[in-house]
Amino acid sequence: SLSINDFEAARALLETLVEEFEKKDGNNSSSSNTTAKLFTESKKYFLMLKEMETASTSTTASTSTTVVESIKSFLSKNKSLLTELANSTESDLAIVHSAYYECAMTYRKAVGPPEAFYKEAISYLHYTPLDTISPTKAQYDLATDLSLSALTGKGVYNFGEVVHNNKLILDVLRGTENEYLVKLMQASAEGDVDSL
């Protein structure tokens, strides 16, 4: 578990890196500099969300609102850049997408709605191999949150996207107290009301 000082030191390092990218960027933005900056900023904002989560009792409402608004602005400002990167032929850009969607997913977990979390989590899993998500508790939490958001999100009808395309994440719940979510997701995906 990280202390507040650890979060502050990590955030300061990431902010310094972002400033360096901005200095290098100047008026002509190189592709590698832009992607490195997007990756670093994604990690910085993800860290800020985790810091808020950890220090929720000592964080003031106005500080939380300011942080959430800055993250919302970052995500909306960079969504089009991420789309441009998706059209790129560079295969190493998956890590940038993974970092962005990890931040977006964590943001949506904090502010909602569940269907937005579901969409960002599916995108995150698309770019992130399950074995790179550690510790196992993070996999368990993601599987639980993804299942709950799929079941409660408005307009989420494609349970097969999780049950069939992201089966490994649901397997994390097998043999746990949340195994019922796997069964519920499978029954919903198959339209098998009788098995419920």
Side-chain angles (χ1 to χ4, degrees):
S1 166
L2 296 174
S3 72
I4 295 301
N5 291 337
D6 294 332
F7 280 114
E8 289 172 357
R11 189 178 65 243
L13 174 65
L14 292 171
E15 286 171 352
T16 301
L17 286 171
V18 169
E19 288 171 11
E20 288 299 316
F21 291 132
E22 288 171 348
K23 284 180 192 174
K24 287 181 183 177
D25 226 4
N27 288 333
N28 65 17
S29 60
S30 74
S31 175
S32 62
N33 198 43
T34 302
T35 55
K37 181 180 171 206
L38 178 58
F39 174 81
T40 306
E41 283 184 304
S42 296
K43 288 299 189 181
K44 178 184 89 170
Y45 286 117
F46 171 73
L47 185 69
M48 291 169 72
L49 284 163
K50 287 300 189 183
E51 183 180 10
M52 270 181 30
E53 197 177 276
T54 302
S56 61
T57 55
S58 63
T59 305
T60 65
S62 63
T63 301
S64 293
T65 302
T66 303
V67 169
V68 167
E69 286 302 315
S70 67
I71 294 167
K72 180 180 178 182
S73 173
F74 163 75
L75 291 171
S76 64
K77 180 178 89 174
N78 288 290
K79 186 69 176 173
S80 61
L81 175 59
L82 199 68
T83 303
E84 284 177 38
L85 293 176
N87 296 330
S88 170
T89 58
E90 295 180 47
S91 62
D92 60 340
L93 294 178
I95 193 169
V96 177
H97 285 80
S98 176
Y100 176 89
Y101 285 118
E102 181 181 37
C103 180
M105 172 186 70
T106 306
Y107 168 77
R108 285 299 176 186
K109 182 177 177 180
V111 302
E115 58 272 13
F117 171 83
Y118 173 82
K119 180 181 171 202
E120 303 295 2
I122 289 293
S123 295
Y124 172 65
L125 287 170
H126 177 76
Y127 290 104
T128 311
L130 186 60
D131 62 351
T132 64
I133 303 171
S134 63
T136 306
K137 170 124 174 60
Q139 293 177 5
Y140 176 83
D141 291 345
L142 178 56
T144 301
D145 294 340
L146 181 63
S147 299
L148 291 173
S149 67
L151 293 166
T152 62
K154 290 181 183 173
V156 177
Y157 304 111
N158 189 0
F159 298 107
E161 191 168 13
V162 177
V163 173
H164 301 295
N165 298 342
N166 292 290
K167 183 182 178 305
L168 292 177
I169 192 71
L170 287 182
D171 286 346
V172 172
L173 297 177
R174 295 195 189 282
T176 71
E177 64 184 14
N178 286 342
E179 184 171 9
Y180 75 94
L181 289 170
V182 177
K183 294 174 182 172
L184 193 55
M185 291 289 291
Q186 288 173 329
S188 298
E190 296 165 4
D192 185 6
V193 179
D194 294 334
S195 71
L196 297 176

